[in-house]
Amino acid sequence: MTTAPDRYAVLGHPVAHSRSPAIHARFAAQTGQPITYGRELCPLDGFEPHVRAFAASGARGCNVTVPFKFEALALAGRASARARLAGAANVLGFDGADPAHWWADNSDGIGLVRDIERHAGVALAGTRVLLVGAGGAAAGVLGPLIEAGAAAVVVANRSAGKAEALVQSHADLAQRRRCTLAATPLAAPGEAFDVVLNASSSSLAGAEVPVPAAVLRPGTLAVDLMYGPAAAPFLAWARAHGATARDGLGMLVEQAAEAFRLWRGVLPDTVPVLATLRAEVDAGAGAA
Ligand code: NDP
């Protein structure tokens, strides 16, 4: 008798563009883990009933994407320290239909840190980092950047209050890790950072790069969390000013690998999966 594979999915709105099903299918093939992974479009006002029904159908967990990461954290009975610090969750694990028995985690930050350190080959310890944006993605990455040993992180956001709130919620961690943390306006965030992270949705919106070029110096690592054609203007801007440009594809694969590890207890090898995905995106195959 064969056992049915465990079921997972990414839940969001929109979700049709998501590359997570393809990534997890490759992880499953590589590790021999018996899982299936789909995508579920949730109504904007109906995340909770949708995720409850998905769990009640016997599914074992899900990834959560825009705009439900905050709701996902609030629903689950328990949450990891990094998800609580971020105030948002992109991974849920189910033990039945009752959310009291679900767990929540956030793999976005560790995904970005692993991409920068393993794939881009830049050690974050001792660096000055500019974090542009203060939405769900920025909230997920700030704690792991501090944990990785950044000497200073400046958070610059269009709505100043959101950057200040993020700095406040991470002040204790920053103090413990001797990281200087500050919120600044987008127009004057400082100059010549070691690492510049665009965690705003400016590229997604087709808007101009929201910070002055003085934030870069030759050799700065400039990462847009976006990937595909929408990231191209930011990457071109970074290269034109001597920076090393990188998109968010590596983070996408690494956050997925961490979710897979949380569910299955096995950390997949991300190198071949990222190489395949990179080739597909560069060839313009499928949606970005
Ligand atoms: P949110 O909607 O939660 O936050 C959006 C942020 O972008 C806010 O800080 C907002 O500022 C800012 N913003 C929006 N438009 C502009 C603009 N034109 N100029 C300057 N700032 C702007 O989105 P997320 O944080 O979830 O996502 C942000 C980006 O990160 C997206 O591009 C997303 O695709 C990417 N991402 C990539 C991942 C990956 O694995 N590669 C994972 C998660 C996200 P304000 O507060 O003023 O509204």
Side-chain angles (χ1 to χ4, degrees):
M1 200 178 83
T2 54
T3 320
D6 289 339
R7 286 188 297 118
Y8 301 87
V10 55
L11 274 64
H13 188 122
V15 81
H17 66 288
S18 174
R19 291 181 181 271
S20 292
I23 294 171
H24 282 280
R26 287 178 179 127
F27 289 163
Q30 181 195 98
T31 59
Q33 286 287 313
I35 73 155
T36 63
Y37 188 109
R39 50 167 76 80
E40 302 266 329
L41 178 68
C42 299
L44 283 173
D45 60 353
F47 174 71
E48 180 172 345
H50 198 108
V51 68
R52 276 179 183 266
F54 185 58
S57 75
R60 301 304 309 275
C62 67
N63 280 126
V64 181
T65 186
V66 177
F68 303 122
K69 291 183 185 181
F70 303 103
E71 224 179 308
L73 178 73
L75 259 180
R78 61 198 164 88
S80 67
R82 62 189 176 187
R84 280 185 273 118
L85 184 63
N90 71 324
V91 191
L92 291 177
F94 307 138
D95 187 8
D98 181 356
H101 299 131
W102 298 356
W103 55 261
D105 208 332
N106 192 312
S107 66
D108 279 337
I110 194 72
L112 178 65
V113 166
R114 285 184 185 153
D115 179 55
I116 289 174
E117 298 206 322
R118 291 184 184 170
H119 301 296
V122 173
L124 284 161
T127 54
R128 283 179 67 240
V129 180
L130 173 63
L131 179 62
V132 182
V141 305
L142 181 54
L145 287 171
I146 297 169
E147 296 278 9
V153 182
V154 171
V155 184
N157 191 51
R158 192 174 55 181
S159 311
K162 280 168 69 179
E164 279 153 20
L166 217 47
V167 165
Q168 279 296 319
S169 62
H170 288 71
D172 284 350
L173 175 65
Q175 194 178 23
R176 282 200 307 277
R177 301 301 302 241
R178 296 168 192 264
C179 172
T180 307
L181 192 55
T184 67
L186 277 179
E191 295 183 3
F193 288 89
D194 300 312
V195 179
V196 171
L197 303 169
N198 187 15
S200 84
S201 45
S202 64
S203 295
L204 186 65
E208 283 184 11
V209 175
V211 286
V215 301
L216 303 174
R217 59 161 172 74
T220 295
L221 176 68
V223 184
D224 196 326
L225 272 54
M226 193 65 213
Y227 53 87
F234 177 92
L235 302 180
W237 168 83
R239 286 188 192 109
H241 294 93
T244 301
R246 189 163 181 84
D247 68 7
L249 212 54
M251 173 184 174
L252 182 73
V253 173
E254 287 292 347
Q255 64 77 29
E258 177 68 1
F260 193 92
R261 186 190 69 79
L262 291 165
W263 291 322
R264 310 302 301 180
V266 185
L267 186 64
D269 180 1
T270 51
V271 171
V273 177
L274 178 55
T276 308
L277 203 62
R278 168 77 56 211
E280 286 172 2
V281 168
D282 288 351

